[in-house]
Amino acid sequence: MKQRVQTLLQGILGREVVLEKPRDRSFGHFATPIAFSLAKELRKSPMLIADELASSFDGHEEFSVVEAVKGYLNFRLSENFLNEYGTWALDNPALFATQENNTKILLEYVSANPTGPLHIGHSRGAVYGNTLYRLAQHLGYDITAEYYVNDAGNQIDLLGLSIQLYAQENILGEEVEYPESYYRGDYLDSLAKGAIENFGKEILNDESRQKELALWAKDGVMELIKKDLADANIVFDTFVYESSLYSEWDRVMDKMHANDAKAIYEKDGKIWLASEAKGDDNDRVVVREDKRPTYLAGDIVYHNQKFERGYDHYINIWGADHHGYIPRVEAAVEYLGYDAKKLETLLAQMVSLLKDGEPYKMSKRAGNVILMSDIVDEIGADALRFIFASKKSDTPLEFDIEQLKKQDSSNPIFYIQYAHARIQTIISKSSLSKEEIMSASLKGFDEDADNLMFDALLLPEVVEDAFNSRQVQKLPDYLQSLAASLHKFYYDVRIIGRDDEAKLLKLLLVVALSLKTGLGLLGIQAKDFMTRKED
RNA sequence: GCGCUCUUAGCUCAGCUGGAUAGAGCAAUGCCCUUCUAAGGCAUCGGUCACACGUUCGAAUCGUGUAGGGCGUACCA
């Protein structure tokens, strides 16, 4: 809608135009401060310029009003325009707010180590990534959601050890001395029991079999993680296992070397990536003295594989604690001969927790980890998703655990759900048939109704903007304000029994479509009915 | 020390590429259920947009500096 207006304006004015939404709706649907920037070059007052511009819009039927106010040029869209658009949306609900696009995107997110179930800190990146994914799909992008499984390295060995320790203490009843680091949690119980079934009890005391145990257990952990994700409506298209990549390491090193002889070099018995020349703080070790590749080596092979698979754009969503890692991966991508600009790394900032006003440190060792599944059980996946989707992902976030757990009706998600449910209730109580409602026209509304429809039809811009700016919180913000408009309208106007019942109901259907589409993009199902809250 | 990032109402956060009087939710106070679900509506209270300087017709927004917080600064992932 905005786009159409914008291209229209550019056609008429013959230049780029900044279009904004006036704070006060009485100024119109859209406004532009164009006259201010023209004032300087034309050496005329903005008021005068705006007046002249306004008159050049005579006879354009998309607008009902174009007027100059204090130098601003304000536009109001015409009834015909809004009626046509709203009716089209109701006739083509699946197309509403969609676009055509054939850009291929690979989105990697979550990628938590397979050493335990997801905790609350993972939720943020998970919800953020999945929301971006849904937005992109809706906008027509060919997007693939991928999970990189770090099933190699120390943390996997640690998983094996942790299962052994748990079993020794809790199943075999032995005295256990705990080392510096190990994992802890209820999930180890079923893994330990499963291990006994699979391998026999001997494996629990055999230090040399830790790796074997861990490699078996990681699949079980991945199942837990997948279940946590699925319970929050988060699904992946592909999983890539770090362990499967190292066989390609030599080929990838050769590739970098062929592109740039200085990319990789040996020093002190180790192999280094010359990332400093590409803007990193230091060069980085990729193969240690004992020939074991570092984590970076795995990531280089992984990114090479990503680029070989041939996407137009790559998005990684990482925890903010990995931000120092970006330059070295970009350096590697360039040495591999690819355009590092195609790789976009977004950081999901940390979630810090409070308990009774005091900082609460989750520690796997202390066993006080707040699991994502705890929160989903407590408040539901919808509420969890809404909380994280409505916060800007790149600012740190503080949560009081108790408040998080008891978030019920104070969560704005219920406010939005209720708006949708209210519409459904009215529709079902009306004696009018769907056909009668749909044949009405969305014209002749008073100002309040007109504004409500305009608000509902803004969804496409919000969706596009939320994705392009990677600021998914714009969508929940919008839905909340649309729900507020609806609630107010509901209170002010008793619809059933009015002369213009049919077209008001049709208007509400447009609002419902917008709410439902928007919620769907957040991975939340719109509700047609809500049970009354008990006091 | 260096790099990145953040600082807006009592709390949690919005505020789009500079634009019209600084916004929401929660909290606090008051009002509205014989009306399509009160999980709702209305009203009040609450801000030197961390601070300073600069750019501009115009700054919460851009630039520089200062203060404070977070993260990073691994041959850990």
Side-chain angles (χ1 to χ4, degrees), chain A residues 250-314:
Chain A
D250 288 338
R251 181 175 74 81
V252 171
M253 266 204 297
D254 289 347
K255 186 169 172 179
M256 285 194 285
H257 186 77
N259 280 320
D260 188 334
K262 283 180 289 195
I264 292 276
Y265 63 90
E266 256 190 88
K267 193 179 116 191
D268 305 336
K270 305 155 201 172
I271 300 178
W272 299 72
L273 175 75
S275 53
E276 191 175 344
K278 298 282 186 188
D280 196 3
D281 293 340
N282 295 297
D283 288 353
R284 307 290 170 179
V285 173
V286 284
V287 182
R288 303 173 178 98
E289 234 168 322
D290 60 7
K291 305 284 187 230
R292 280 160 47 237
T294 63
Y295 178 77
L296 178 59
D299 234 349
I300 293 173
V301 183
Y302 176 41
H303 280 83
N304 178 63
Q305 193 229 40
K306 284 185 179 179
F307 276 87
E308 283 183 351
R309 282 152 67 196
Y311 291 84
D312 300 310
H313 192 73
Y314 302 83

Side-chain angles (χ1 to χ4, degrees), chain A residues 56-72:
Chain A
S56 63
F57 282 88
D58 290 345
H60 279 89
E61 62 181 21
E62 286 86 352
F63 305 106
S64 60
V65 180
V66 179
E67 58 183 356
V69 180
K70 290 201 291 190
Y72 287 85

Side-chain angles (χ1 to χ4, degrees), chain A residues 380-499:
Chain A
D382 288 355
L384 174 84
R385 289 192 66 116
F386 198 86
I387 290 170
F388 284 107
S390 50
K391 310 292 182 192
K392 209 162 84 178
S393 65
D394 58 1
T395 48
L397 191 57
E398 268 190 1
F399 270 125
D400 192 287
I401 297 166
E402 298 313 315
Q403 218 179 346
L404 183 61
K405 283 191 173 178
K406 69 165 190 262
Q407 274 227 28
D408 39 40
S409 57
S410 64
N411 190 313
I413 184 60
F414 296 98
Y415 184 80
I416 297 167
Q417 294 281 27
Y418 188 40
H420 187 267
R422 274 183 149 173
I423 294 172
Q424 301 311 318
T425 306
I426 302 180
I427 300 281
S428 69
K429 292 206 169 163
S430 166
S431 54
L432 296 176
S433 69
K434 186 111 190 183
E435 290 70 29
E436 285 171 302
I437 297 172
M438 286 301 290
S439 63
S441 84
L442 295 162
K443 290 199 265 190
F445 289 132
D446 63 17
E447 198 179 323
D448 289 342
D450 183 74
N451 285 340
L452 180 61
M453 181 153 84
F454 179 75
D455 286 344
L457 292 175
L458 278 175
L459 179 75
E461 275 121 81
V462 175
V463 169
E464 188 186 357
D465 185 31
F467 179 73
N468 287 343
S469 65
R470 315 290 193 238
Q471 309 252 309
V472 302
Q473 83 281 357
K474 290 181 178 185
L475 181 55
D477 280 357
Y478 163 75
L479 292 176
Q480 201 172 343
S481 76
L482 178 59
S485 305
L486 183 279
H487 283 308
K488 177 158 175 47
F489 191 78
Y490 177 96
Y491 183 84
D492 290 342
V493 184
R494 192 185 158 81
I495 292 170
I496 289 179
R498 279 177 56 130
D499 293 347

